[in-house]
Amino acid sequence: EMGAMAKNMLALLGQGAKATTSQVNSLKDLREQAAMQQQTDSVSLQFSNERNTTACVLFVHNDGENLSNQLLFEIALFNFSHFMIKDFDLRLLPSFDGNNSVLLTSGFEGMSEAEWYFEMLSANSDIKSFLDKNGIRVICITQTNLDILGSTLTIQDYLDWNTQR
């Protein structure tokens, strides 16, 4: 019985070796496909018009850490005083694209909700004057389009694309 078991183990090992060889080849193929796909992506990397997907509001500035912390405080206070039941995720992205710092506010179910939030911000004179005084741009963007930013496309590319549609 030990002999039969050993033979089965050898057979399984043999199958494993064959599988490994074909796996290595398929991995190589996958890598080549991925490299080709990446080239295609960088040529045709485009923003999506889809609006019914999770969205974010970006607060963009290039004034460094002090402003980022003050901005975080102001927006957290605004959110807390206006949205008792809705919880937004606030995250500081200090060197977002080399030039800009970003406060990312996420948790919006779609672009219309993000735009509604932007309207509420704009209607609040304290927040509006704080943003204006510090040159902070507010940008509504879907998560899909945000994921594209920073790879090859910049915030300015997004703004240009957004005004053209």
Side-chain angles (χ1 to χ4, degrees):
E1 193 168 325
M2 278 300 251
M5 203 165 118
K7 210 187 311 184
N8 285 344
M9 286 176 74
L10 282 172
L12 285 171
L13 281 172
Q15 285 175 348
K18 283 181 209 139
T20 312
T21 314
S22 64
Q23 281 173 331
V24 168
N25 289 338
S26 65
L27 276 175
K28 204 170 90 181
D29 292 344
L30 281 174
R31 259 200 303 271
E32 284 168 10
Q33 282 175 353
M36 281 166 44
Q37 186 61 45
Q38 211 168 13
Q39 287 172 339
T40 320
D41 286 352
S42 61
V43 172
S44 64
L45 199 58
Q46 288 180 337
F47 295 111
S48 164
N49 286 312
E50 177 58 49
R51 291 178 50 82
N52 296 324
T53 181
T54 54
C56 309
V57 174
L58 306 180
F59 296 87
V60 183
H61 67 89
N62 50 16
D63 258 0
E65 202 174 320
N66 290 343
L67 184 56
S68 289
N69 291 333
Q70 192 181 356
L71 174 63
L72 179 63
F73 174 79
E74 296 290 340
I75 298 302
L77 188 65
F78 173 81
N79 289 352
F80 182 73
S81 59
H82 287 75
F83 305 100
M84 292 299 205
I85 49 172
K86 184 126 176 95
D87 191 24
F88 296 108
D89 182 28
L90 297 177
R91 225 168 359 136
L92 286 173
L93 308 171
S95 53
F96 182 75
D97 61 3
N99 306 321
N100 298 298
S101 294
V102 167
L103 172 63
L104 172 68
T105 310
S106 54
F108 300 97
E109 289 170 22
M111 277 297 276
S112 45
E113 191 180 32
E115 289 161 349
W116 168 79
Y117 175 83
F118 173 70
E119 295 298 321
M120 287 196 64
L121 280 173
S122 302
N124 182 300
S125 57
D126 292 341
I127 286 285
K128 179 106 180 71
S129 66
F130 172 77
L131 297 174
D132 292 346
K133 184 181 77 177
N134 291 293
I136 298 168
R137 292 178 295 168
V138 182
I139 300 167
C140 299
I141 187 170
T142 61
Q143 185 64 52
T144 310
N145 287 337
L146 179 64
D147 291 342
I148 293 173
L149 291 183
S151 50
T152 53
L153 297 170
T154 64
I155 289 173
Q156 193 55 54
D157 292 329
Y158 177 74
L159 293 173
D160 295 344
W161 171 81
N162 209 17
T163 52
Q164 286 166 10
R165 27 180 216 137

